[in-house]
C-alpha cells in the first residue's frame, strides 16, 4: 500500500508540475505576444525609414537609430532579413514553455523576458510558487532514481561485493551514465541543430544544467537556421531531467 501510495503521489506531482508549466507558458504567450508584434512592427518601420533616408541622416539621428536598434535587439527583436521573419514570434508556445522552464529552474538566460506590466507581475507570482514546486519535483525524481541505485547495490551485494566498493561503483555508474546522457549526447545534438562546435555544445550543456545560465549561448535563437516544431520544449524537458540527475548525485 505504501509503495502504491508513493507511486501515486509521484505521478500526481509530475503531472501537476507539467500542468503548471503548460499553464504558465499559455499565460506568458497570451500576455506578451501582442506587445511583441507591435514592437516588431515599430522596428520594421524604423529600418525602412533608415534605408530610405540614410544618406541624409545627421550624426545625432544616426546615433539615435543605433540606440533604438540596440534596444530592439535587447528586447528580442532582430530586425534583419525580410518581413516574413517579423511574423515569427519569440512567444510561440514552444518558446513560452522553454521560458517557463528556465524561470522555475532559476537558470534565467535573460535573452527572453516579459516586457508588459502584466507579464512581469505574473512572472513574479509564477516564480514564487514555481521554484519551490521545482525543488520538490527534483527531490522526488532524484529519490526515485536513488531507488535504482539501491537495487543496483543490492544486486552487487548479493554477488559478494563489499559495501564500500558498491557505494563507489554505484556513484561512478550514475555519474558516467549521466555525463553521457545529459552532457555528451545532447552536445552532439546541439552541434547538428545549432551549428555549434562540440566544445560549445558541452559548454552550453554544463552552464545550463549548473543553472549558471550566462545567456551567451541559447538554443533556437539563430535567425538563419530552421528549427523543428517544439524543439525548445524538448530542450526544456532535457533541462528538467538533467537537473533531476544532478539532484540524484547530491543525494548519493
Amino acid at each position: 500500500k505504501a509503495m502504491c501510495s508513493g507511486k501515486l503521489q509521484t505521478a500526481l506531482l509530475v503531472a501537476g508540475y507539467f500542468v503548471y508549466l503548460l499553464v504558465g507558458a499559455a499565460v506568458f504567450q497570451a500576455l506578451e505576444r501582442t506587445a511583441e508584434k507591435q514592437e516588431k512592427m515599430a522596428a520594421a518601420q524604423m529600418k525602412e525609414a533608415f534605408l530610405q533616408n540614410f544618406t541624409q541622416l545627421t550624426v545625432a539621428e544616426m546615433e539615435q537609430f543605433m540606440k533604438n536598434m540596440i534596444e530592439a535587439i535587447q528586447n528580442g527583436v532582430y530586425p534583419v532579413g525580410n518581413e516574413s521573419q517579423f511574423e515569427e514570434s519569440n512567444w510561440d508556445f514552444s518558446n513560452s514553455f522553454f521560458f517557463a522552464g528556465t524561470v522555475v529552474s532559476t537558470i534565467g538566460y535573460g535573452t527572453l523576458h516579459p516586457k508588459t506590466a502584466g507579464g512581469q507581475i505574473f512572472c513574479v507570482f509564477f516564480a514564487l510558487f514555481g521554484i519551490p514546486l521545482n525543488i520538490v519535483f527534483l527531490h522526488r525524481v532524484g529519490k526515485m532514481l536513488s531507488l535504482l541505485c539501491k537495487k543496483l547495490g543490492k544486486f552487487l551485494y548479493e554477488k559478494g561485493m563489499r559495501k564500500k566498493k558498491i557505494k563507489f561503483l554505484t556513484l561512478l555508474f550514475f555519474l558516467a551514465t549521466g555525463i553521457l546522457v545529459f552532457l555528451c549526447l545532447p552536445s552532439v545534438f546541439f552541434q547538428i541543430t545549432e551549428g555549434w562546435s562540440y566544445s560549445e555544445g558541452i559548454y552550453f550543456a554544463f552552464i545550463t544544467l549548473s543553472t549558471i545560465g550566462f545567456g551567451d549561448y541559447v538554443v533556437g535563437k539563430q535567425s538563419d537556421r530552421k528549427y523543428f516544431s517544439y524543439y525548445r520544449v524538448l530542450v526544456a524537458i532535457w533541462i528538467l531531467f538533467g537537473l533531476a540527475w544532478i539532484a540524484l548525485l547530491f543525494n548519493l
Side-chain angles (χ1 to χ4, degrees):
K1 284 184 177 179
M3 192 178 287
C4 289
S5 176
K7 285 181 178 178
L8 181 62
Q9 286 177 0
T10 301
L12 288 172
L13 175 64
V14 171
Y17 180 74
F18 278 99
V19 166
Y20 188 81
L21 290 181
L22 290 168
V23 170
V27 174
F28 281 121
Q29 185 181 17
L31 290 172
E32 295 295 323
R33 202 164 188 175
T34 304
E36 183 204 32
K37 197 170 184 180
Q38 291 171 351
E39 200 167 348
K40 283 189 173 185
M41 286 173 65
Q45 289 169 359
M46 184 170 56
K47 178 185 172 183
E48 190 178 339
F50 170 79
L51 292 173
Q52 289 175 354
N53 304 302
F54 72 94
T55 55
Q56 301 167 13
L57 292 177
T58 63
V59 173
E61 287 172 334
M62 188 66 187
E63 286 183 350
Q64 186 59 47
F65 171 77
M66 289 169 68
K67 284 179 184 177
N68 292 340
M69 283 292 105
I70 291 167
E71 188 179 340
I73 291 166
Q74 286 173 342
N75 289 331
V77 177
Y78 299 93
V80 293
N82 53 37
E83 289 184 8
S84 65
Q85 289 179 315
F86 288 95
E87 298 301 315
E88 296 174 7
S89 176
N90 288 320
W91 290 100
D92 59 18
F93 189 77
S94 181
N95 285 337
S96 300
F97 185 88
F98 181 78
F99 172 74
T102 59
V103 168
V104 298
S105 60
T106 70
I107 295 170
Y109 291 117
T111 52
L112 186 65
H113 51 274
K115 291 173 279 293
T116 64
Q120 289 169 348
I121 296 298
F122 175 73
C123 188
V124 170
F125 287 100
F126 180 77
L128 195 63
F129 294 100
I131 292 170
L133 177 62
N134 183 64
I135 293 168
V136 173
F137 169 79
L138 294 178
H139 177 71
R140 180 55 66 96
V141 174
K143 211 171 181 181
M144 282 175 62
L145 291 172
S146 67
L147 292 175
L148 295 174
C149 294
K150 285 182 181 178
K151 286 182 180 179
L152 178 62
K154 190 179 178 183
F155 172 77
L156 293 173
Y157 185 71
E158 287 171 354
K159 295 291 181 183
M161 200 173 283
R162 287 182 300 170
K163 284 187 178 180
K164 281 187 178 179
K165 195 173 183 182
I166 288 170
K167 284 182 179 180
F168 173 74
L169 287 175
T170 303
L171 178 59
L172 187 65
F173 173 75
F174 279 93
L175 180 63
T177 305
I179 288 171
L180 179 67
V181 172
F182 294 108
L183 290 177
C184 297
L185 292 178
S187 298
V188 175
F189 177 69
F190 295 135
Q191 185 180 13
I192 295 165
T193 311
E194 297 288 343
W196 298 336
S197 67
Y198 186 71
S199 61
E200 287 172 325
I202 288 279
Y203 169 77
F204 166 75
F206 176 79
I207 292 299
T208 294
L209 296 184
S210 61
T211 71
I212 295 170
F214 288 127
D216 49 350
Y217 288 84
V218 182
V219 295
K221 296 299 289 181
Q222 298 184 64
S223 57
D224 60 335
R225 298 187 81 87
K226 288 288 180 184
Y227 301 100
F228 60 87
S229 299
Y230 300 108
Y231 166 55
R232 296 189 101 193
V233 170
L234 290 176
V235 175
I237 293 169
W238 161 74
I239 289 170
L240 298 175
F241 283 97
L243 292 175
W245 164 64
I246 290 172
L248 167 67
L249 291 181
F250 281 121
N251 284 339
L252 290 176

